[in-house]
């Protein structure tokens, strides 16, 4: 009994802390109201949250509460629904509140008035020129009252700012400092944070060639190496006089202009200078040359589905990781009873050095051990890369040589599919000698897998080149786990392990998957299509809507670039071998996570090829996520195996739009494929006729 008061006080303190943190869920009746107002079923919620329908029923009845990550996800859902469907205000007996004055729209335009943030007075409201109707196929997201005009604007020479959704604003700024001030205080641009402990996206202004000239910027950057304006350029001096600052990368194609925050209010504006190549043609195609209204819709679609761009697709990939899993969260210091910044559970919270085998050759942990020019062996370096393999043409059977076609199949969003539910290390590596292998522990393992004898008509899953390993080598956990899955002995000699782990990239995968599927649906390709309709739709899907095709390209580049950026190498002519480079100071510089993702993608590919091999089908070439098979017909259904019921063979390649499923990459003749093999070329690289597979398509 004497401990009971302390227990009660502790429970009360915990409840008060939950209230302070904003983690208390709405009342059960409000949960039901929000779900029904959105037209969602309990089954839809259960599927999204990964629980059974009775769990949703119990939460809405108040009989039970979600725990852990599901509680956070459910709370996030309810908050989002509350913004879209606020509770009705009961009528009062007080005087009626006069309506807000509506901004006069131009003749013939839609008359929906813009909403301005409540903290602004009338003089701060943006001048709305026109709101154009959105195309019927595009469902607009709910409008945040703080950012009524969307995440970005494309600014043209006459001062017209074209926003996402057809909104036009008048921008009176004549200088870059005035433009920054307008974007922050009067434009109504920005985007809500993706995580409650994260930051709202800052306004993005894209400058056309004409707008670039209007603000006194050169049509091209003279410094092609640094890709930035000189520090003594008049525009840079203008910003300094107005007390604006630039980040370390200076005023380049993606310029970030900021002032110190005012309390909790950030003061940052992102500029993208289009004539300087802000929108890389390898990612966005010719979108940067389109008229401002079309460009605003394209980049706005990407911003609302993925994230407001702040640089290249690779930069956006990393920014999305951080936005969905911020490194810090507010915590209360019990000693001072004040709020302070603390680490956010499940996030990458600080920069850490890799284990020696995980580091690239330039990293100080390697240069301190090895002389420059030393060629590290597989027993010294972790070499987890995608497949690039061709079969020996001497192994082609007589039956295979009677098949007239070589057909390529390509895995949709292969690297994104690989990160789904992938456990990765969150903390620093710990060295262990002769550990017992544990597939649940992320890390790098030195183990000899050369004794494993596999069919040489398949690429060996333990090397990128597909040949049998020659001795002990370093592998990421997914590769070693696959060896154990195949029933082989796994005895590591040593390992660098990360006991602190989690599914860091799950939210990243989910957002990119949803963005990809939404965009594909706009291109006429939807989940649930039968194989014939899917193949027909994929034949011309990029021609159906070139604008959406550009968004699709950017989403794919975000996946590939984001994973690659986890092991960014040193850049610039001023770098000296063995020095640290800026990327090493990021919590998201994690070559071990990149290795685990690529290993998981390669293993997933091999697992499916092994299923086909059990039916007598073997590939003749593999490149990353593309495999080429010989076939009696020119399409994938002509060779992909079926069950006696006519369904796709479980565990093998399946045609469809979802990540992890496959599409038709291309078809060539048998003689073409054999010639490629004889000459040592990879048919998977050229099966489409454009080298698309080499780019991760």
């Amino acid at each position: 009994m004497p401990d009971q008061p302390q227990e009660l006080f502790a429970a009360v303190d915990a409840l008060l802390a939950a209230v302070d943190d904003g983690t208390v869920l709405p009342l059960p009746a409000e949960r039901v109201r929000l779900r029904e107002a959105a037209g969602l079923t309990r089954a839809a919620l259960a599927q999204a949250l990964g629980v059974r329908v009775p769990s949703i029923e119990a939460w809405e009845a108040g009989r039970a509460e979600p725990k852990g990550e599901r509680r956070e996800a459910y709370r996030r859902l309810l908050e989002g629904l509350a913004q879209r469907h606020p509770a009705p205000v009961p009528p009062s007996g007080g005087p009626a509140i006069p309506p807000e004055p509506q901004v006069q729209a131009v003749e013939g335009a839609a008359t929906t008035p813009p909403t301005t943030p409540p903290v602004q007075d009338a003089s701060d409201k943006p001048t709305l020129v026109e709101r154009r109707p959105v195309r019927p196929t595009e469902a607009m997201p709910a409008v945040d009252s703080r950012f009524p005009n969307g995440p970005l604007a494309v600014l043209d020479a006459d001062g017209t700012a074209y926003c996402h959704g057809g909104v036009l604003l008048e921008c009176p700024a004549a200088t870059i400092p005035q433009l920054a001030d307008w974007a922050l205080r009067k434009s109504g641009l920005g985007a809500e944070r993706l995580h409650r402990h994260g930051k709202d996206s800052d306004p993005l202004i894209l400058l056309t060639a004409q707008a670039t000239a209007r603000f006194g910027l050169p049509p091209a950057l003279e410094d092609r190496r640094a890709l930035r304006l000189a520090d003594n350029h008049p525009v840079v001096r203008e910003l300094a006089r107005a007390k604006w600052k630039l980040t370390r990368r200076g005023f380049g194609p993606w310029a970030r202009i900021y002032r110190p925050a005012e309390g909790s209010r950030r003061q940052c504006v992102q500029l993208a200078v289009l004539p300087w190549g802000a929108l890389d043609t390898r990612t966005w195609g010719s979108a940067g040359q389109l008229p401002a209204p079309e460009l605003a819709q394209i980049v706005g679609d990407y911003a609302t589905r993925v994230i407001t761009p702040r640089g290249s697709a690779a930069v956006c990939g990393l920014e999305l990781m951080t936005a969905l899993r911020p490194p810090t969260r507010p915590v209360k210091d019990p000693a001072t009873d004040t709020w302070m910044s603390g680490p956010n559970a499940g996030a990458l919270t600080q920069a850490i050095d890799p284990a020696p085998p995980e580091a690239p050759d330039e990293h100080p942990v390697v240069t301190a051990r090895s002389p420059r020019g030393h060629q590290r062996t597989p027993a010294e370096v972790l070499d987890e890369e995608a497949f690039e393999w061709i079969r020996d043409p001497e192994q082609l059977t007589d039956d295979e040589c009677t098949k007239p076609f070589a057909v390529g199949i390509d895995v949709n969003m292969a690297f994104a599919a690989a990160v789904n539910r992938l456990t990765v290390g969150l903390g620093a590596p710990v060295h262990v000698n002769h550990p017992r292998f544990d597939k649940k522990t992320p890390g790098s393992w030195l183990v000899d897998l050369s004794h494993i004898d596999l069919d040489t008509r398949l690429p060996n899953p333990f090397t990128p080149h597909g040949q049998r390993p020659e001795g002990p080598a370093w592998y990421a956990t997914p590769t070693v786990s696959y060896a154990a899955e195949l029933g082989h002995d796994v005895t590591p000699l040593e390992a660098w392990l990360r006991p602190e782990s989690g599914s860091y990239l799950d939210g990243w995968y989910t957002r990119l998957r949803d963005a990809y599927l939404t965009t594909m649906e706009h291109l006429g390709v939807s989940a649930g299509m039968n194989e014939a309709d899917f193949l027909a739709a994929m034949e011309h899907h990029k021609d159906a809507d070139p604008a959406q095709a550009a968004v699709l390209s950017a989403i794919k580049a975000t996946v590939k670039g984001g994973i690659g950026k986890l092991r960014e190498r040193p850049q610039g002519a001023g770098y000296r071998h063995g020095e640290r480079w800026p990327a090493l100071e990021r919590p998201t510089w994690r070559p071990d996570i990149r290795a685990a993702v690529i290993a998981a993608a390669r293993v997933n590919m091999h697992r499916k090829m092994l299923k086909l091999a059990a039916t007598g089908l073997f590939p003749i070439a593999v490149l990353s996520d593309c495999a080429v098979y010989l076939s009696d017909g020119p399409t994938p259904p002509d060779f992909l195996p079926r069950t006696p019921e006519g369904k796709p063979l479980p565990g093998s390649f399946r045609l469809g739009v979802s990540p992890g499923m496959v599409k038709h990459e291309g078809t060539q003749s048998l003689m073409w494929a054999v010639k490629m093999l004889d000459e040592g070329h990879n048919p998977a690289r050229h099966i489409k006729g454009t080298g698309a597979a080499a780019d991760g398509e």
Side-chain angles (χ1 to χ4, degrees), residues 176-510:
I176 292 295
Q178 290 174 5
L179 175 61
D181 188 73
W182 174 84
L184 276 177
R185 303 183 183 281
K186 299 184 180 181
S187 70
L189 296 173
E192 183 187 9
R193 65 195 69 187
L194 299 180
H195 187 282
R196 69 191 186 97
H197 297 315
K199 302 180 179 69
D200 296 330
S201 289
D202 302 316
L204 168 62
I205 307 294
L206 298 96
L207 300 179
T208 62
Q210 296 80 4
T212 300
R214 172 189 172 192
F215 288 110
L217 298 170
L221 287 173
E222 295 180 3
D223 188 344
R224 302 307 301 168
R225 177 174 291 178
L227 286 178
R228 57 189 289 173
L229 289 179
D231 291 341
N232 62 353
H233 190 278
V235 170
V236 177
R237 293 204 303 263
E238 263 184 347
L239 287 168
R241 286 195 297 269
K243 307 300 183 183
W244 290 100
K245 297 183 179 182
L246 294 166
T247 59
R248 184 167 49 188
R249 63 183 175 184
F251 202 120
W254 289 91
R256 191 161 185 77
I257 302 171
Y258 71 97
R259 283 173 175 160
E262 294 180 348
S264 60
R265 182 183 178 187
R266 289 162 54 82
Q267 298 191 91
C268 297
V269 177
Q270 183 75 56
L271 299 184
V273 187
L274 298 176
W276 296 356
L279 297 182
D280 192 330
T281 55
R282 293 169 296 180
T283 298
W284 296 93
S286 59
Q289 307 300 319
L290 292 175
E294 296 178 37
L295 180 59
Q297 194 63 38
I298 290 172
V299 184
D301 283 348
Y302 176 88
T304 54
R305 295 173 196 170
V306 183
I307 192 171
T308 303
R310 286 180 53 182
S312 67
V315 169
C316 293
L318 280 190
E319 291 290 339
L320 182 61
M321 294 179 194
T322 303
L324 293 168
R325 292 272 194 175
T328 61
R329 65 185 294 269
V331 295
K332 181 168 284 189
D333 184 353
T336 62
D337 199 35
T338 59
W339 289 97
M340 57 186 295
S341 179
N344 188 22
L348 303 179
T349 59
Q350 60 182 344
I352 57 175
D353 278 341
E358 299 165 350
D361 292 343
E362 307 91 339
H363 198 284
V365 304
V366 177
T367 58
R369 294 170 171 237
S370 306
R372 186 170 185 178
H374 170 68
Q375 188 68 34
R376 291 193 286 172
T377 67
E380 296 174 305
V381 61
L382 179 68
D383 186 26
E384 294 283 17
E385 299 294 342
F387 275 131
E388 184 167 1
W389 170 87
I390 61 173
R391 202 197 317 172
D392 184 345
E394 296 294 328
Q395 290 186 323
L396 294 179
T397 65
D398 292 342
D399 180 61
E400 286 177 322
C401 290
T402 64
K403 300 180 184 297
F405 298 103
V407 181
I409 52 176
D410 180 80
V411 179
N412 303 321
M413 301 273 283
F415 292 136
V419 307
N420 187 25
R421 301 180 183 176
L422 178 67
T423 301
V424 299
L426 301 177
V430 177
H431 185 256
V432 183
N433 285 313
H434 301 288
R436 182 177 179 180
F437 177 67
D438 179 5
K439 67 179 182 180
K440 296 182 180 180
T441 303
S444 302
W445 310 77
L446 180 62
V447 59
D448 190 350
L449 302 179
S450 62
H451 64 282
I452 299 178
D453 189 21
L454 298 172
D455 196 316
T456 56
R457 290 175 292 176
L458 286 175
N460 189 292
F462 310 127
T463 61
H465 50 68
Q467 304 302 316
R468 190 171 184 162
E470 297 179 353
W474 285 96
Y475 302 100
T477 296
T479 301
V480 186
S481 180
Y482 187 54
E485 178 185 325
L486 294 176
H488 300 287
D489 179 51
V490 173
T491 309
L493 303 174
E494 60 176 301
W496 289 90
L497 306 179
R498 288 175 165 79
E500 184 186 355
S501 62
S503 300
Y504 173 71
L505 293 171
D506 271 7
W508 190 77
Y509 161 76
T510 300

